[in-house]
Amino acid sequence: MTAVLCRHFGLSDIQLAEDIASDTFLKASEVWPVTGIPANPQAWLYTVAKNKVKDYFKHKAVFELKVKDNILKELNEKTLPDDIDQRTISDSQLAMLFAICDPIIPIAGQISLALQILCGFSILEVAQALLTNKETIKKRIFRAKTALRDSKFELKELSDSQISARLAAVLKTIYLLFNEGYYAQHENHIIRKELCMEAIRLALLLTAHETTNLPQTNALIALMCYQSSRLDARMDKDGAIVLFEQQDVQQWDSDMIDQGNFYMVQATDTQETSKYHIEAAIAYWHTVVDNQSKWEYILKFYNQLILIEYSPVTALNRAFAYAKMYGTEAGIEETKKLNLIKMSHYFGLLGYLYRDLDQAEAIDNYTKALNLASSLTEQDVYQKQILALQ
């Protein structure tokens, strides 16, 4: 809604568009419980938002000047499309995404702002996605909004060179959006499928344009398709997480795997290799069943990925692959070298590796993981592991 309002009414103040969007949903929460949900909730929301934009301009002091009548006439003629469809929204979202990824803002600020405005992340979720703290994110977003306002922000058509320069930040935003869905840090949800599907949808839109239909774009789509193929198998009927080795492969979505293969082929028609290519290759091998030699390839790709972009999660995943390749004891030593004592997944991996070697040590590590876990679903996973060992 923020993107659509900025695009169709030429709002240069993103904060204003966000406030109007929030007021609109507040209005719905007050009206719908009384009158019932309207036949077309989306149209209702956009109509209310449009009227709030008009009310805002009517009350601005500038409209008390001589130009008031002319401006109001022009505003009344500028209406949202009669049919607010996914195309209208998607076009506005992509336009806003590229507009936010403006080089006048540091790339960390671009991504933080995009995740908050276009992906609906809270400050905490942005901080978790970017592995930093809330105060840092607040400052980044404030500075980013100030920079856009000072530069007279507007949604306008960008040149091919501008689009190319901003694509890396756009892809990173979509990647983080997908990750938040797949490894959700939300308090009560460890998987948020709607975020995964939204990320894929936005990435697919990029393939419709020659300037953005690049190998790295296709590699990112391939990665997301491979990962999404296992979404249904990652949760049981009670909403509890199912670990990879316990998943029912019959629940894996073969169509999504085929889609991943298709986009992987599109991504490898040049010599370019991005982090998305490597992660997609890792995800592909995870879809291969009954082939123990796959861990040799997976470990090799993790070794490459760590050199391109180190992260604690990547390091832990590499340690898991190392254990699969060289044995449990070697995996434990490799994991302990990381010393990520503030991460629940660190102790969770140690608990997993100690299961068949030292049950007491496994329980101790799972207990530490339980105490650090941020979501109820993740806590439930560790609790079950402890009970099973006891």
Side-chain angles (χ1 to χ4, degrees):
M1 183 176 286
T2 300
V4 171
L5 292 177
C6 283
R7 187 175 191 196
H8 287 277
F9 289 101
L11 295 180
S12 58
D13 189 339
I14 291 178
Q15 187 65 56
L16 169 62
E18 285 185 289
D19 290 344
I20 290 172
S22 295
D23 286 347
T24 300
F25 281 95
L26 177 61
K27 179 88 171 173
S29 72
E30 294 170 345
V31 174
W32 291 3
V34 178
T35 63
I37 297 176
N40 189 337
Q42 196 174 43
W44 188 97
L45 289 165
Y46 279 104
T47 299
V48 171
K50 177 181 69 175
N51 291 333
K52 285 184 177 291
V53 173
K54 291 181 178 180
D55 289 342
Y56 167 79
F57 281 119
K58 284 177 184 176
H59 288 92
K60 277 192 75 174
V62 70
F63 287 97
E64 299 305 319
L65 302 174
K66 295 179 181 179
V67 294
K68 173 181 175 181
D69 292 337
N70 290 333
I71 296 178
L72 282 179
K73 182 172 183 257
E74 180 184 339
L75 181 65
N76 284 323
E77 290 171 353
K78 184 182 285 189
T79 59
L80 289 171
D82 293 332
D83 182 19
I84 298 291
D85 57 17
Q86 283 303 318
R87 177 60 187 269
T88 303
I89 296 170
S90 298
D91 286 351
S92 299
Q93 283 178 295
L94 272 184
M96 175 70 96
L97 190 48
F98 275 96
I100 286 173
C101 294
D102 191 317
I104 64 168
I105 306 170
I107 191 163
Q110 297 172 22
I111 294 170
S112 300
L113 187 58
L115 286 172
Q116 186 199 44
I117 292 178
L118 283 176
C119 305
F121 280 29
S122 66
I123 295 293
L124 176 60
E125 287 170 333
V126 177
Q128 289 171 331
L130 297 177
L131 303 176
T132 187
N133 59 68
K134 289 168 62 176
E135 288 307 310
T136 298
I137 296 301
K138 283 181 183 177
K139 290 175 183 176
R140 282 182 189 172
I141 290 175
F142 175 78
R143 288 194 294 264
K145 287 182 177 179
T146 301
L148 287 178
R149 185 176 63 247
D150 292 346
S151 67
K152 296 183 169 45
F153 166 82
E154 61 179 324
L155 287 179
K156 58 186 178 182
E157 192 142 341
L158 300 174
S159 66
D160 287 350
S161 61
Q162 287 176 309
I163 290 173
S164 296
R166 301 180 186 201
L167 182 60
V170 169
L171 291 178
K172 181 70 177 288
T173 301
I174 293 173
Y175 171 81
L176 292 172
L177 172 61
F178 181 87
N179 277 359
E180 175 57 26
Y182 197 77
Y183 306 104
Q185 298 296 323
H186 191 274
E187 183 180 357
N188 295 323
H189 303 285
I190 207 157
I191 294 174
R192 297 169 73 183
K193 192 172 182 178
E194 76 283 357
L195 294 186
C196 295
M197 296 303 105
E198 174 68 2
I200 293 175
R201 186 180 69 81
L202 288 172
L204 285 171
L205 290 173
L206 295 174
T207 64
H209 304 278
E210 185 178 353
T211 311
T212 52
N213 186 22
L214 300 176
Q216 58 182 328
T217 305
N218 286 276
L220 176 56
I221 297 172
L223 164 62
M224 295 189 292
C225 286
Y226 289 138
Q227 297 285 56
S228 296
S229 70
R230 294 188 284 112
L231 280 174
D232 291 338
R234 292 185 71 220
M235 300 282 283
D236 65 18
K237 58 180 176 27
D238 299 319
I241 199 72
V242 179
L243 300 177
F244 176 74
E245 293 182 338
Q246 298 166 349
Q247 289 175 13
D248 179 4
V249 297
Q250 299 301 316
Q251 287 188 287
W252 291 2
D253 189 334
S254 59
D255 289 338
M256 283 297 262
I257 294 173
D258 289 342
Q259 286 294 305
N261 292 337
F262 171 81
Y263 285 103
M264 196 61 172
V265 171
Q266 307 306 307
T268 53
D269 61 355
T270 69
Q271 295 300 310
E272 177 185 351
T273 301
S274 67
K275 64 165 282 187
Y276 304 122
H277 285 81
I278 298 173
E279 289 199 36
I282 293 170
Y284 160 75
W285 279 110
H286 276 86
T287 67
V288 176
V289 183
D290 298 328
N291 184 346
Q292 279 305 305
S293 65
K294 68 183 182 182
W295 292 107
E296 178 184 351
Y297 298 106
I298 290 173
L299 179 59
K300 201 172 291 184
F301 284 125
Y302 271 125
N303 289 339
Q304 291 181 44
L305 185 59
I306 279 202
L307 293 176
I308 291 176
E309 184 177 286
Y310 175 86
S311 78
V313 173
T314 300
L316 285 172
N317 288 337
R318 179 192 169 277
F320 178 82
Y322 193 91
K324 288 291 184 181
M325 186 68 192
Y326 295 109
T328 303
E329 292 185 3
I332 289 172
E333 291 304 311
E334 199 70 11
T335 303
K336 284 184 174 180
K337 289 177 186 176
L338 301 175
N339 198 34
L340 299 169
I341 58 174
K342 293 184 179 180
M343 290 184 66
S344 62
H345 297 300
Y346 169 73
F347 291 108
L349 176 56
L350 285 173
Y352 169 83
L353 294 174
Y354 271 114
R355 284 184 314 173
D356 298 327
L357 295 176
D358 186 333
Q359 289 192 348
E361 191 69 28
I363 290 172
D364 181 57
N365 278 287
Y366 275 133
T367 302
K368 291 175 181 176
L370 175 64
N371 293 333
L372 288 169
S374 59
S375 74
L376 295 177
T377 314
E378 188 184 354
Q379 291 168 11
D380 183 60
V381 170
Y382 298 133
Q383 189 68 60
K384 284 181 177 178
Q385 297 298 324
I386 293 168
L387 291 173
L389 286 167
Q390 290 173 336

